[in-house]
Amino acid sequence: DQQVKQNSPSLSVQEGRISILNCDYTNSMFDYFLWYKKYPAEGPTFLISISSIKDKNEDGRFTVFLNKSAKHLSLHIVPSQPGDSAVYFCAAGVSWNGGSQGNLIFGKGTKLSVKP
Amino acid sequence: DTEVTQTPKHLVMGMTNKKSLKCEQHMGHRAMYWYKQKAKKPPELMFVYSYEKLSINESVPSRFSPECPNSSLLNLHLHALQPEDSALYLCASGLDLAGGSYEQYFGPGTRLTVT
């Protein structure tokens, strides 16, 4: 049973527009969430994170929104650039205080294509 | 410096071989991880080390044997692997688990092919 779901395997966006990547989770124990970007043949690159005490975190062009009641988070990229084209993974975990040992559960990823 | 290095980049081994994957970080992180990623799938956790001690083994077969010789190094010893073990093996590191920062930084991975 998937605890972290990314239901859109792919997304195509025009350069300069907004990209919105979505992620849903089922485990209410998750209290921190991360987004990673992955190019082929490379390891995932950390982008941005959010803890469950917040509903928004912003870093430059990247903003993550968390809706705990809906168990949903999203990553907004504004403006989108061709270099943003990659696979984006959503990941979730339970903090150490919640009894975690630090493992992350990943979604299946969404392939973003930004067209010039 | 947020770099995690892994060697080798590519490895082809037979089912009777013994080989090792290596991972190194110099960020002072005290949590280190091995993940396995098959094509078009998300990374799946294999092992977690916290302060050089194994804290999680996600029911990984004994033909995979992790080792953490010091706080900067993480090895994965491979013996008698099966073709289905072919995958991208990713190492990651993060601040100690009680540090309040949960980002994990990944290396580029080792692409393993078992013949």
Side-chain angles (χ1 to χ4, degrees), chain B residues 10-63:
Chain B
H10 301 276
L11 178 62
V12 179
M13 60 186 289
M15 289 189 282
T16 58
N17 291 159
K18 280 186 182 182
K19 296 285 185 184
S20 297
L21 310 184
K22 296 186 183 303
C23 174
E24 191 166 0
Q25 56 89 13
H26 295 288
M27 295 178 276
H29 290 168
R30 303 312 296 269
M32 295 186 77
Y33 309 80
W34 280 114
Y35 287 84
K36 173 181 177 179
Q37 186 175 19
K38 302 280 271 184
K40 300 189 179 178
K41 299 277 189 181
E44 292 181 352
L45 184 70
M46 298 174 74
F47 302 104
V48 180
Y49 272 83
S50 177
Y51 287 87
E52 295 97 72
K53 290 187 179 173
L54 183 65
S55 63
I56 288 187
N57 175 341
E58 290 284 357
S59 303
V60 179
S62 59
R63 56 187 185 267

Side-chain angles (χ1 to χ4, degrees), chain A residues 45-62:
Chain A
T45 300
F46 169 72
L47 276 177
I48 192 167
S49 64
I50 189 167
S51 77
S52 59
I53 61 172
K54 291 186 171 183
D55 54 19
K56 177 182 174 182
N57 189 23
E58 194 171 352
D59 183 2
R61 296 186 298 115
F62 301 93

